[in-house]
Amino acid sequence: QTTLAHIIANSSKKNGTRFVTLSATSAKTNDVRDVISQAQNEKRLFKRKTILFIDEIHRFNKSQQDTFLPHVECGTVTLIGATTENPSFQVNAALLSRCRVIVLEKLSVEAMEAILMRAVRSLGVQVLGQGDQHGSSATGSSSESSEFPVYIEEKALNTLAYLCDGDARTGLNGLQLAAQARLAAGKTTPLNVTKGGSADGILITEEHVKEGLQRSHILYDRAGEEHYNCISALHKSMRGSDENASLYWLARMLEGGEDPLYVARRLVRFASEDIGLADPLALTQAVAAYQGCHFIGMPECEVILAQCVVYFARAPKSIEVYRAYSNVKECLRMHTGPLPPVPLHLRNAPTRLMKNLGYGKGYKYNPMYKEPVEQDYLPEELKGTDFFKERKT
């Protein structure tokens, strides 16, 4: 995103357009007002346009984002905002409606390989395992400043292209960390890089690349959209009785650093919403899983959640109670006028005055009767209503 902003900045300078950059992590509302004031003067006096680039725009709260509204609408500034969050959640709806959202997708593996290859050539690192390109090197500071030449396996570059998950910054950082670690260690390896001979050099292997990345290749943001995407995928996989997919999405969340208690709370909800009375023990399993996670924490509690998730995926499903309660809520929302009073025979009568007013009069105490008791429990207006039947919309 920032790279694209720099490209736009260079292009705008050629056209005589001002390009101003602010970061929402450090800028304040007064800084924005100053930029807008200058933009108004430039437009009025010199007919010069201003492009305002806000990095991490989601860090501005909704009232701060409102500052842009009138000036974007009248064309005082052309606003470009960059965010790693879902703008539907983090950007003011009024501001969002005045902007065009451009989604930057992940880079393909082929594109990542091209970027990494360009990087190793600029560093003067030689690539092993590329057929007729074995032992070929480009000029660069790394191999010239090192006492021994530096080599990297082609397989290591391919692995890095896959593990960085389409993020060029992650890939380049991983390559840099692996190279710096090997140079700092200073250990050389005999390599057959010339015809009929061998030479000593510093070799970067696939394992060194993985050590540099550690767990950063697992794409997961506990506070962002991926958090909601993964829990939705887990919920739908259990609902669809796919135990393998359920375990996969659970692992994506836990290995990415998710709070296990959050997952456990969602499982408690799932037990009643999707399994319900088809297996009443599911709710007991979910509550026990939550307590187990609370007692022992990660990483020991991961198997507890895994057991619960597989149980739920295999369990029969029923939304009878969930649908019935939704029907009750709809009934309350759609009711016109005051809600009907509680029937007198269902009211408690702790005082003599209440008894005299008829509270509890005519109530039949069920345990005293051997046969089923005929008695109304709903208000008169709702008599005969069955919330468990499908309601017509």
Side-chain angles (χ1 to χ4, degrees):
Q1 298 161 339
T2 309
T3 303
L4 286 177
H6 288 310
I7 295 173
I8 296 173
N10 293 332
S11 176
S12 62
K13 289 177 181 178
K14 297 177 182 178
N15 299 328
T17 305
R18 292 177 66 242
F19 191 92
V20 182
T21 301
L22 291 177
S23 175
T25 58
S26 57
K28 299 179 181 179
T29 307
N30 289 335
D31 299 325
V32 175
R33 290 188 177 129
D34 290 341
V35 171
I36 291 174
S37 178
Q38 293 175 10
Q40 289 173 333
N41 293 333
E42 290 281 343
K43 184 179 180 182
R44 184 176 64 255
L45 298 175
F46 306 108
K47 306 299 181 183
R48 192 181 180 192
K49 298 180 180 180
T50 300
I51 298 176
L52 176 57
F53 173 69
I54 303 293
D55 197 15
E56 306 293 342
I57 193 172
H58 63 274
R59 297 291 292 271
F60 278 149
N61 58 39
K62 296 302 174 68
S63 61
Q64 289 174 311
Q65 292 178 23
D66 285 339
T67 308
F68 301 110
L69 284 176
H71 309 290
V72 170
E73 193 163 4
C74 69
T76 302
V77 295
T78 300
L79 177 65
I80 300 177
T83 176
T84 55
E85 305 293 336
N86 189 327
S88 301
F89 300 142
Q90 303 294 338
V91 178
N92 194 334
L95 181 61
L96 197 63
S97 66
R98 291 164 172 81
C99 299
R100 179 182 177 184
V101 178
I102 300 175
V103 180
L104 301 183
E105 302 291 349
K106 299 176 184 177
L107 294 173
S108 65
V109 175
E110 292 76 12
M112 281 304 311
E113 289 176 346
I115 292 172
L116 293 173
M117 189 62 67
R118 189 185 307 155
V120 297
R121 285 173 178 167
S122 66
L123 293 173
V125 178
Q126 303 180 51
V127 180
L128 294 182
Q130 277 194 310
D132 56 0
Q133 296 184 13
H134 287 183
S136 62
S137 64
T139 58
S141 59
S142 177
S143 62
E144 291 177 358
S145 59
S146 175
E147 184 178 354
F148 296 96
V150 181
Y151 301 90
I152 185 170
E153 293 180 343
E154 182 184 17
K155 185 179 180 181
L157 286 178
N158 295 337
T159 300
L160 184 57
Y162 276 96
L163 293 184
C164 63
D165 201 44
D167 188 334
R169 181 179 298 169
T170 301
L172 294 173
N173 287 342
L175 177 62
Q176 181 183 11
L177 289 174
Q180 288 177 340
R182 295 303 296 161
L183 288 171
K187 295 181 179 179
T188 60
T189 305
L191 300 168
N192 294 321
V193 294
T194 60
K195 294 182 179 180
S198 63
D200 290 341
I202 297 175
L203 178 63
I204 303 173
T205 66
E206 183 182 19
E207 293 302 319
H208 300 142
V209 166
K210 289 181 178 179
E211 288 177 8
L213 277 179
Q214 294 181 350
R215 297 197 319 173
S216 61
H217 64 281
I218 297 177
L219 178 63
Y220 189 75
D221 182 1
R222 288 180 55 181
E225 182 184 3
E226 199 67 10
H227 164 85
Y228 299 103
N229 290 342
C230 285
I231 193 63
S232 176
L234 173 61
H235 196 126
K236 290 178 173 64
S237 298
M238 291 189 297
R239 180 185 292 157
S241 300
D242 190 328
E243 57 193 49
N244 290 290
S246 301
L247 279 178
Y248 173 79
W249 293 117
L250 173 67
R252 273 277 292 267
M253 298 182 75
L254 295 181
E255 294 301 310
E258 182 58 79
D259 180 6
L261 292 180
Y262 167 78
V263 180
R265 286 194 294 270
R266 300 312 305 161
L267 293 179
V268 173
R269 166 73 181 190
F270 183 91
S272 286
E273 178 181 340
D274 287 87
I275 298 177
L277 297 179
D279 184 358
L281 287 177
L283 184 57
T284 304
Q285 290 279 340
V287 174
Y290 179 88
Q291 291 177 335
C293 293
H294 180 69
F295 288 154
I296 64 177
M298 283 289 286
E300 287 83 359
C301 72
E302 59 187 15
V303 70
I304 297 176
L305 291 174
Q307 175 183 327
C308 189
V309 162
V310 172
Y311 183 98
F312 285 0
R314 294 178 178 179
K317 309 298 188 295
S318 170
I319 60 170
E320 180 184 18
V321 175
Y322 176 71
R323 182 188 294 127
Y325 189 71
S326 297
N327 290 337
V328 175
K329 291 194 296 183
E330 182 184 2
C331 174
L332 293 173
R333 285 194 300 265
M334 301 300 293
H335 185 83
T336 57
L339 292 173
V342 177
L344 286 176
H345 69 282
L346 295 180
R347 301 185 188 186
N348 194 24
T351 67
R352 181 175 297 179
L353 175 61
M354 290 179 171
K355 290 181 180 179
N356 293 337
L357 292 175
Y359 282 34
K361 185 177 181 181
Y363 173 68
K364 299 176 182 179
Y365 184 61
N366 300 65
M368 294 180 60
Y369 296 84
K370 294 182 179 179
E371 302 295 331
V373 176
E374 291 292 333
Q375 190 168 218
D376 292 327
Y377 297 96
L378 283 170
E380 184 67 25
E381 295 87 339
L382 297 176
K383 190 174 181 179
T385 301
D386 187 352
F387 294 109
F388 289 87
K389 291 183 178 179
E390 286 286 348
R391 296 175 66 85
K392 295 181 180 180
T393 57

